[in-house]
Amino acid sequence: MAVKETRFIWMDGKLVRWKDAKVHILTHALHYGSAVFEGIHSYKTDEGTAIFRLDEHINRLFRSANALSMKLKFTKAQLKAAIKKLIKINSIGDAYIRPLAYYGYGDIGVYPKDILTNIAVITMPWEHYYSGNLRIKTSKFARHSEKSTVYGTKISGNYANSILAMHEARKKGFDEALMLDLDGYVSEGPAENIFMVKSKRLIAPFSKSALPGITRHSILKMSGDLGIKPFERKVRLDELKNADELFFCGTATEVAPIIAIDGKKIGDGKAGEITSKVRDKFYSIVRGKDSKYRKWLTYA
Ligand code: PMP
């Protein structure tokens, strides 16, 4: 998704003009991926701009920072206030919100000795990340295991692994990659989780190599309202290839149908019935049309 400029970016407590939001070339995170980030989505609703599951995203940002022993100079409440302010000042409704905390300038060694952390929040207008149905390719690169990184965190350096898988898939003409864990079980996409539907059952592949996504969690919680009982379990690649329906989900991706994997058609090659139901329900929740899930929305 191309960058769309807005007026301001929030950097270490100050509103900085978009073109002035720069860092020094010796910024530690540029060299070693020593940063943590979040992707958050806000939506236009009848009652104003609503940020989806803001608390959960901010909590995960702090957990990620903690994993890298980063001390953030702002509290959760201050960051949430900064996000709300930025949405207002940049006057955006449907937005992608990117908080980024990073080890800054001060040392060139890998160990970020005495380096202060910086933190920024970027907001930009956002449409759908994927508008069409997806054809995906299983990657030869395994997703990081919990033995090589900290489970459940969004550490920037881990995303080099996703970039490798994306290049591999795109070079061969696929839309996205599917990543397996070291044991060969289904893990996730490079930046999204995956669901499978088999015999009307909704199955969320479980792997300690996958990020336990907030969208995934939301779908697991709300699917009961659609009369669907969800399951979480380890899933093998051959099971996935024989699914009736598949879809990716994530903050940027939302709910994106997958219609083929490694050239094999899934179902009848169109967005499936349960996928469409889940997607419609997801949109009604994020647009503030479902009173049961208003608790997931924070108005800017
Ligand atoms: N997996 C990875 C690797 C991701 O980067 C993301 C996006 N944050 C997801 C899954 C989906 O997580 P969420 O629903 O919390 O955005």
Side-chain angles (χ1 to χ4, degrees):
M1 188 78 140
V3 161
K4 289 200 183 111
E5 281 186 30
T6 50
R7 286 172 68 210
F8 292 105
I9 288 179
W10 183 94
M11 292 180 88
D12 296 310
K14 295 195 185 78
L15 289 173
V16 178
R17 293 221 166 258
W18 184 278
K19 66 174 178 33
D20 299 322
K22 294 177 181 162
V23 296
H24 194 278
I25 194 65
L26 268 174
T27 297
H28 195 271
L30 267 179
H31 300 246
Y32 304 115
S34 54
V36 299
F37 68 98
E38 269 306 314
I40 312 175
H41 212 144
S42 69
Y43 292 87
K44 228 188 259 169
T45 75
D46 291 344
E47 284 121 274
T49 300
I51 307 167
F52 187 59
R53 306 202 70 177
L54 178 61
D55 286 343
E56 289 83 351
H57 282 286
I58 295 299
N59 289 343
R60 188 169 66 189
L61 181 74
F62 275 69
R63 280 203 306 278
S64 301
N66 191 46
L68 274 190
S69 300
M70 281 181 170
K71 286 187 190 66
L72 302 184
K73 287 179 281 186
F74 295 87
T75 62
K76 289 181 183 177
Q78 285 172 319
L79 266 184
K80 286 183 221 171
I83 289 172
K84 288 188 201 170
K85 184 171 170 183
L86 211 49
I87 292 275
K88 281 217 173 102
I89 207 160
N90 285 330
S91 13
I92 27 184
D94 287 7
Y96 184 73
I97 304 161
R98 164 59 58 85
L100 174 74
Y102 55 98
Y103 278 114
Y105 177 93
D107 200 317
I108 198 171
V110 168
Y111 178 54
K113 185 172 179 291
D114 302 331
I115 301 190
L116 294 177
T117 56
N118 298 100
I119 183 157
V121 181
I122 304 140
T123 55
M124 62 177 85
W126 194 252
E127 288 156 23
H128 298 304
Y129 190 57
Y130 284 119
S131 43
N133 298 330
L134 304 176
R135 292 179 170 79
I136 66 171
K137 178 185 168 15
T138 311
S139 178
K140 70 176 184 200
F141 298 104
R143 195 78 182 115
H144 289 296
S145 93
E146 56 172 329
K147 291 183 183 159
S148 56
T149 187
V150 182
Y151 174 64
T153 60
K154 279 175 76 76
I155 296 174
S156 298
N158 289 345
Y159 282 79
N161 177 243
S162 299
I163 295 168
L164 291 171
M166 281 300 300
H167 275 305
E168 187 194 11
R170 290 281 168 94
K171 274 180 193 156
K172 296 201 166 114
F174 293 85
D175 301 309
E176 263 285 4
L178 169 75
M179 306 189 76
L180 306 179
D181 64 21
L182 279 176
D183 299 321
Y185 287 103
V186 173
S187 176
E188 60 180 345
E192 52 276 295
N193 291 118
I194 192 164
F195 272 90
M196 150 177 139
V197 176
K198 185 74 188 172
S199 310
K200 308 275 177 210
R201 289 171 165 217
L202 183 62
I203 299 154
F206 177 79
S207 168
K208 279 275 185 121
S209 284
L211 186 76
I214 292 164
T215 317
R216 177 184 187 274
H217 177 265
S218 308
I219 292 171
L220 287 171
K221 286 277 167 207
M222 56 80 148
S223 51
D225 299 347
L226 299 169
I228 305 163
K229 191 162 176 268
F231 297 85
E232 259 187 296
R233 64 165 170 85
K234 284 179 181 281
V235 170
R236 295 186 318 270
L237 182 59
D238 61 295
E239 283 185 90
L240 201 79
K241 288 190 178 174
N242 286 304
D244 299 329
E245 301 177 28
L246 292 179
F247 62 89
F248 271 143
C249 71
T251 296
T253 307
E254 299 172 309
V255 176
I258 297 167
I259 54 166
I261 171 163
D262 298 334
K264 183 184 182 301
K265 196 162 79 172
I266 297 298
D268 57 5
K270 297 193 201 101
E273 187 194 326
I274 292 184
T275 304
S276 304
K277 278 190 187 162
V278 167
R279 182 156 60 174
D280 292 349
K281 176 93 176 160
F282 177 77
Y283 283 131
S284 93
I285 292 173
V286 296
R287 296 269 175 217
K289 305 226 182 288
D290 192 325
S291 56
K292 184 171 172 189
Y293 296 101
R294 283 286 172 91
K295 58 184 182 203
W296 285 347
L297 305 180
T298 301
Y299 288 88

